[in-house]
Amino acid sequence: MGLHINWNKSFIYPVNTVPNIEDLAYKLGGKVGELPTTYLGMPLGAKSKSSGIWSGVIEKCERKLVNWKCQYLSSGGRLTLVNSVLDALPSYMMSIFPIPAKVTKRLDAIRRNFLWKGSEDKKKYHLVKWEELLVSKREGGLNIRDLSPQNKSLIMKWLWKFASPEVSLWKEVITAKYGMEDKWMTEGVTSLYDCSVWRSIRNLWLLVKDRTKCKVGNGEKVAFWNDIWCGQETLKHAFPELHSLSQAHEASVADLWTGQGWNLHLRRNLNDWEITFIARFHDTMARATNLTEEQDRLI
């Protein structure tokens, strides 16, 4: 028969002021809800940087401790529970929202105290600095997750997905709302009235861009002078003399490729002493691959 909407369990959440919202809810059979709320385990309508949206994560960690403290666990057993459970519980929220320093400090305290004290309520000394336990076992630590860089890594995955060639509805919505700065990423969110989740995500774009280079396919998204795609630096920095002479500073790779070579759109003919620049340029570009029908992507 297929799935049907159960209106008795459904809510209508108005954004700002919605006239006749009660009449609409009555006709549909649902109820009028209030923001903020929770949807699929995520806060909806709350401030993304608020510490309050993390209260559920902290409560889950504390409930786990109540059950674990009822049984005897060795130090190795407590470490296993910290790494497999307590480290994983915040991951769902950390994949979208920036974790406040206050919440990080509280979760660190929960993990740290359980690791050293276990089921004992009396005070016990922490024999090793917490920061030293966060490094890998190869470097002498216990490989306990450092929440702040883990949070950044999970959030930056959205930027990686946004810059990927795949087509998604959420990417179209973000693009339509914020506009594009270049072929890879949206404009920065600078409005004081637009403190959105995307603003926190977009602020990490430079960290992603500085650690990637472009793999050229059809050349339509890769900026010829400004992106790293041939060698270990941009062509603007590798050949500053030719860049200053070019009239196509914002051109893509596809714009300057003629099918047989490169047309830099120089504003004048080269002098004799500048021939070495163009010779070195052609030597470098000889290693560049020909264009294909595939889309450009980051690597």
Side-chain angles (χ1 to χ4, degrees), residues 195-225:
C195 299
S196 63
V197 175
W198 186 249
R199 179 176 187 170
S200 301
I201 297 174
R202 173 61 177 77
N203 287 342
L204 298 175
W205 170 240
L206 288 181
L207 288 176
V208 177
K209 189 174 183 179
D210 290 343
R211 289 158 176 78
T212 58
K213 63 183 299 185
C214 301
K215 182 174 177 59
V216 177
N218 55 25
E220 294 179 356
K221 294 181 66 174
V222 180
F224 183 87
W225 293 107

Side-chain angles (χ1 to χ4, degrees), residues 224 252-265 282 291:
F224 183 87
S252 67
V253 172
D255 293 335
L256 301 187
W257 176 250
T258 64
Q260 297 178 344
W262 302 100
N263 182 2
L264 301 184
H265 296 282
H282 285 299
L291 303 189

Side-chain angles (χ1 to χ4, degrees), residues 42 54 57 87-99 104 107 145-148 150-156 158:
M42 287 290 187
W54 294 88
V57 174
D87 283 0
L89 285 176
S91 296
Y92 185 50
M93 284 279 292
M94 287 196 305
S95 64
I96 293 183
F97 298 102
I99 185 169
T104 301
L107 292 175
R145 188 171 299 169
D146 192 346
L147 296 181
S148 294
Q150 177 73 10
N151 179 218
K152 287 185 178 180
S153 299
L154 292 172
I155 290 178
M156 285 192 290
W158 290 106

